[in-house]
Structures are given as C-alpha cells and as structure tokens.
Amino acid sequence: MIDQPVRLTTTVKGAGCAAKLAPGDLDRALCGLDLPVDPNLLVGLDRADDAGVYRINEDLALVQTIDFFPPMVDDPYHFGQIAAANALSDIYAMGGTPKTAMNVVAFPARTLHISILRKIIEGGLDKMREAGVVLVGGHTVEDSELKYGLSVTGFIHPARILTKKNLVCGDRLVLTKPLGTGIVTTAIKAGLASRDLTESVTRNMSALNRAAALVANDFPVHACTDITGFGFLGHLAEMVVDSGCGVRVKAADVPHYPEALEYADMGLIPAGAYNNRNFRGAFVEFGAGVPRCIQDLLFDPQTSGGLLFAVAGGDAERFVAALMSEGIGCASIVGEVVSGPADRMCVE
Ligand code: CO
Ligand code: CO
Ligand code: CO
C-alpha cells in the first residue's frame, strides 16, 4: 500500500524531445493519405468530428471514439473519473448512447505502485457504471509517463447524428460547463489553488455530459461538440470555419471560474492556450473591451469540458431552463449564429 501521497502530475515525463505536437499537425500527417471509402462510414476521418460513425442498418449505427492523457490532478481515483468522463463525452457530443468501453493504460511500473493503477481504474469504472457502460477489456503498456483513458463504443440512430458542421443563422450557442480548467489545474500544480476551488474543478471535470445530451434530445439542436484541448474558441472554430455563417460571442456571458481570470493575469497560462491562439486566432475578432485574461480563458485548453450546442434561437431560453432543471447550473447562452462576416468569430 502507499505510505505517502504521490504527485501524479509530476511523475517522470516522456523522452526529452523538444518538438511538441501542435494543433494542425495531425491534419498534415493525414493529408494525401488513402483514407477508407465505405458507404456505411457516415462520419470518418475526413469529417474530423468528435467520434466516428459506422452504419449497421437503417436504424442503428456504431459511434466510436478514444481519448487518453496524463494526469492533471494528483488523486488517482479522481484522475480515473475525469479521464473516463472525458472519453465518454465525445459519444454524447455526437448524440449517441455509450454502451461498451476498453481501458487504455500506459503505466510507469518502475516508479509508481500498482495500487495507484487500481484506484485509477476504479474511478473509471464508477463513471462507466454511472453512464450505463460495460467495460469489456483493455490494454496496458509500460511507459515512463502515466496515461489513462478509454476507447468507447456507443449506439446512435443514423438519422439523428449531431455533428459540428450544421450551424443555422439565428441559432443560439449554449455552453454547459465553466471554462478555465487548464488555467486552474496549472495553478493547482503551482500550489496556488484553494481546496474549495480544487474540489470544484475536479467535480466539474468528473461530471458526465450525459444529462445535457439527454435534454438535447428534446430540442431542435442543429450542431454540437464538446470543449476539450483546443479550448472554447478552437472548438467553436471547428463549427464556424467553412460553415458560411459567423458567430457573435458575448464574453461576459461565458461561464467560467472567476479565479481563472486572476491566474491568467498572473501569467499562469498553459502552453496549449498559446498554441490554440496561434492555430485559430486569425478567425477571431476581439472587441476593444475584451481584456487579455478573457481572451486567454477562451483559448484555454479544457479537460472534460462541457457541451457546446447550436440550438434554434427561439428555443434557446427553454433549452437552458431545461438544462438547469437537470442540475446543469451554469448552462448559459453564450452567443449567436449570424449571417456574416462568414467563418468569423466576433467576441464582444
Ligand atoms: Co470532442
Ligand atoms: Co474528439
Ligand atoms: Co476526444
């Protein structure tokens, strides 16, 4: 058993290679490759959506995704919960129902006790149980850096797939979790975050997007994605760029951890936020009144972030009220889809 708490977030990081994977690198790696063509592949790599979809028959399709990463919190059980909630989220973002999952594990057996792995998997199992998902197997490799996540398979009706690319002019944008988890977990690692804030961000990252996805079933939702590593504006860009529409974002209405703005002002900004700004900044126009710390918040890479919906404008208020009555207290209308300027995100 473990005698002392182990700092999972500071275990040996992988080989000392200076080059890092940046947003857009994967697109370049895949560009020009002979990708599979199959009439039943409804959403594949070329669509770059949250999960792939493969049709089995007229009424049923499989929706599949995989996600795994190193710890952003030190508690192994919570890390397991967060990693599982994050992996399941891509199924919810497509409008699917997750059914089965496989553990994906890289474990530094030389430096960490195996009981830590047990707690991580226990956290993952609890989230799978909550989601009604059955663990069917997994794969573990020895690695210098701890990583955990899931490969998830779900069911979806082929006619009810929620993709990113279906914005309609007049839609309202609705976000279901507060932004700032990247900045706040950076502050936690620096020993600056209070216990209350640490608990609050851990609870939100562990929360399934299941309830929000269920509510969305009853509303005219046109498009959806979940907010993860590219940050709010990075994932919004995936909806907006090449859509022919533009969006207006009301910075003051975006739910966030108030402390994240203080930390951002102190310079506690994860490297991913700069990468995200470099990648998508050209599509964004910030109004003169939008301070730098809010801009950083909107590019902050999220772990297990909320769902971002585009819902028919006239139903948006009712949608938010329904989300709130399901316990999603910070659900907010954060912007709207407009006719132009096309492919642009205006933040005011
Ligand atoms: Co996603
Ligand atoms: Co994804
Ligand atoms: Co993902």
Side-chain angles (χ1 to χ4, degrees):
M1 285 278 91
I2 328 152
D3 302 324
Q4 297 160 352
V6 180
R7 291 215 49 191
L8 296 186
T9 52
T10 54
T11 55
V12 190
K13 299 296 177 204
C17 174
K20 294 264 275 180
L21 206 56
D25 282 353
L26 183 65
D27 294 338
R28 283 188 286 280
L30 294 175
C31 178
L33 285 184
D34 194 8
L35 296 174
V37 178
D38 184 316
N40 289 317
L41 183 59
L42 303 182
V43 179
L45 270 174
D46 56 321
R47 299 272 300 274
D49 223 295
D50 290 302
V53 181
Y54 188 87
R55 180 170 50 205
I56 294 176
N57 60 41
E58 267 181 21
D59 305 311
L60 184 65
L62 290 182
V63 51
Q64 295 181 285
T65 185
I66 178 166
D67 249 312
F68 60 102
F69 44 49
M72 70 302 300
V73 294
D74 285 313
D75 182 280
Y77 176 80
H78 286 141
F79 169 51
Q81 285 195 319
I82 292 164
N86 178 77
L88 290 162
S89 175
D90 277 328
I91 303 285
Y92 295 126
M94 299 299 285
T97 306
K99 290 291 176 187
T100 63
M102 308 237 259
N103 283 326
V104 183
V105 181
F107 194 71
R110 281 162 228 258
T111 53
L112 291 180
H113 195 274
I114 200 73
S115 60
I116 289 177
L117 179 56
R118 182 183 165 86
K119 284 194 176 153
I120 292 169
I121 292 176
E122 192 188 348
L125 274 169
D126 279 358
K127 280 291 144 185
M128 286 180 248
R129 205 170 293 124
E130 184 185 338
V133 165
V134 180
L135 182 69
V136 296
H139 187 67
T140 302
V141 297
E142 165 106 38
D143 190 38
S144 58
E145 188 183 23
L146 172 61
K147 300 174 196 82
Y148 172 68
L150 300 177
S151 151
V152 189
T153 300
F155 293 165
I156 195 167
H157 192 287
R160 301 209 53 177
I161 302 169
L162 276 182
T163 59
K164 295 174 181 175
K165 280 273 148 63
N166 195 28
L167 296 182
V168 177
C169 252
D171 282 353
R172 294 287 173 93
L173 301 172
V174 172
L175 179 64
T176 66
K177 283 191 192 181
L179 297 180
T181 68
I183 293 168
V184 171
T185 53
T186 303
I188 292 173
K189 286 175 205 169
L192 290 170
S194 70
R195 199 193 171 92
D196 280 355
L197 177 60
T198 304
E199 279 175 12
S200 152
V201 74
T202 301
R203 200 180 324 113
N204 283 325
M205 290 190 293
S206 308
L208 292 178
N209 280 326
R210 179 172 189 249
L214 286 174
V215 172
N217 277 337
D218 299 329
F219 284 85
V221 168
H222 295 138
C224 177
T225 193
D226 60 337
I227 307 301
T228 52
F230 292 146
F232 174 80
L233 288 174
H235 288 281
L236 182 58
E238 292 177 334
M239 295 173 132
V240 174
V241 175
D242 298 329
S243 71
C245 306
V247 289
R248 274 178 198 286
V249 174
K250 272 262 175 67
D253 295 341
V254 175
H256 63 277
Y257 302 95
E259 296 90 340
L261 297 179
E262 294 165 31
Y263 298 140
D265 272 334
M266 292 163 60
L268 280 171
I269 297 158
Y274 297 103
N275 294 337
N276 290 340
R277 184 191 279 263
N278 287 339
F279 186 46
R280 295 297 197 177
F283 296 95
V284 183
E285 250 159 66
F286 287 109
V290 181
R292 178 70 195 211
C293 60
I294 300 261
Q295 300 182 22
D296 292 329
L297 177 84
L298 296 175
F299 279 116
D300 181 42
Q302 302 298 286
T303 298
S304 190
L307 295 178
L308 175 63
F309 295 105
V311 63
D315 293 280
E317 308 265 354
R318 224 164 38 84
F319 182 45
V320 167
L323 289 166
M324 284 185 165
S325 73
E326 287 302 312
I328 304 159
C330 82
S332 313
I333 298 172
V334 298
E336 61 181 331
V337 179
V338 292
S339 57
D343 302 350
R344 307 283 300 167
M345 297 177 278
C346 298
V347 181
E348 50 195 30

